[in-house]
Amino acid sequence: MEYTSMILAGSTGSIGRQATDVAQKHNLRIEAISSFGSNLPIVEQQIRAFSPSVCAIFDEEAARELKIRVADTSTVILAGKESNEEMIDRCSSPIVLNSLIGRNGLSVTLAAIRSGKNVALANKETLVIAGELILAEARAKGVTILPVDSEHCAMAQCLRGEDPSTVSRILLTASGGPFFGKKKHELAAVTPEQTLAHPTWKMGRRITVDSATLMNKGFELIEAVRLFGVPAEKIDIVIHRESIIHSAVEYIDHTVIAQMSVPDMRSCIQYALTGGVRKETSLPPLNLAKLGSLSFYEPDEETFTLLPLARKVLQKGGISPAVLNLADELAVSAYLDKKISFTDIFTLVEETVNAVPDAPLLSLEDVASAERAAYEAFHNRIA
């Protein structure tokens, strides 16, 4: 299904801004936008460029300022913690692109599903934290979840039209981040500035740190299991420094189908928003001769211990993935604030996960309970 209008949740982040480029390229109406409210100049610019009917701002003080800034427009400004959900209910667009960061995206995904709207999902935390609940809601509503992460978009393309029973394994690629090849003793003193210097992608601060620790790849492993129903043991993580192959699928005849392109998220955003319809793009073509070669390595799980931890958490199930996500969010925040070292992230996340007792995940209340326990366990360790 090709879409003619959309709701864009998280319009000022990296994915959100690239989504507006795609919308402009393909004359896709942006019916509504949302932002936390920390970058009002960009929000104002988007309102004036795209004339959305509604704009939701999480921060109420920022919303009041924005109302003054755009008083000469017809855009309705909504404010507060539930403004995203109200925005979705007010609008008729059939798809919501959720590019919000962290667990804040969970309620938006759920609101979109419950309103019968399809979801272009760039918020992996939704499926990490409460994947079973979200996918059950989507099935009940007949809603489609379209992956926007480059790796999962690649998997969807490689799996398209194939018999799922013929899949031998999925190859989930990773850039390796800025510290590829380093051992743990070499990482203790790395600074946030060094960590945020990703070799390939321009992303938000938390996801860039997660890429450096390989936690992001652990989250993507969990997301792939949820999205495609493939057991974790059939997903191999491969370090691919050039980020040209975004993921691949091997079939039982040992044929491997890979999706390749220049590393630019607009390709994945466009694929989701066009419903898989191939269209021209402003991205440059892939020049393999100029590229020369592609490299591949096994991940160093002895140094980057959050990868095996993610597999362990996935096996445990229940509330464990929600605990893992919040523990990582807290550790990354503490690291960026220079309260802990880079290698402390690995230790604190694992200790927090191990400190919270296993429990089933039956409702969103269980998520909230798990996060409270994780918060307490984490802060007991850095107090």
Side-chain angles (χ1 to χ4, degrees), residues 124-125 128 149-152 172-175 198 201 203 206-223 237 306-307 310 328:
K124 65 173 60 68
E125 289 83 1
V128 171
D149 269 353
S150 61
E151 295 83 357
H152 302 86
L172 171 58
T173 57
S175 72
H198 194 279
W201 299 96
M203 306 175 290
R206 180 190 172 190
I207 192 173
T208 303
V209 177
D210 282 347
S211 178
T213 64
L214 296 192
M215 182 73 267
N216 189 51
K217 214 48 53 177
F219 287 146
E220 288 176 0
L221 168 70
I222 296 171
E223 186 180 7
I237 296 172
L306 296 181
L307 264 184
D328 176 72

Side-chain angles (χ1 to χ4, degrees), residues 151-277:
E151 295 83 357
H152 302 86
C153 179
M155 293 173 198
Q157 292 178 67
C158 296
L159 290 164
R160 190 170 180 177
E162 301 286 348
D163 181 349
S165 69
T166 64
V167 173
S168 176
R169 61 181 175 143
I170 288 177
L171 304 173
L172 171 58
T173 57
S175 72
F179 306 130
F180 169 72
K182 301 288 187 184
K183 295 300 181 182
K184 207 158 195 176
H185 69 274
E186 300 176 89
L187 296 176
V190 299
T191 66
E193 291 76 19
Q194 292 171 310
T195 305
L196 293 172
H198 194 279
T200 309
W201 299 96
K202 292 183 180 179
M203 306 175 290
R205 285 162 62 85
R206 180 190 172 190
I207 192 173
T208 303
V209 177
D210 282 347
S211 178
T213 64
L214 296 192
M215 182 73 267
N216 189 51
K217 214 48 53 177
F219 287 146
E220 288 176 0
L221 168 70
I222 296 171
E223 186 180 7
V225 169
R226 307 283 198 228
L227 280 170
F228 303 111
V230 176
E233 56 268 23
K234 282 193 171 187
I235 301 176
D236 289 347
I237 296 172
V238 179
I239 304 297
H240 169 49
R241 296 294 284 161
E242 296 80 9
S243 298
I244 295 298
I245 294 177
H246 300 297
S247 274
V249 176
E250 182 185 72
Y251 291 90
I252 55 176
D253 61 356
H254 295 170
T255 295
V256 177
I257 298 176
Q259 189 268 329
M260 306 169 66
S261 70
V262 295
D264 193 304
M265 286 300 298
R266 286 173 293 179
S267 173
C268 316
I269 295 165
Q270 176 173 306
Y271 189 79
L273 294 178
T274 60
V277 175

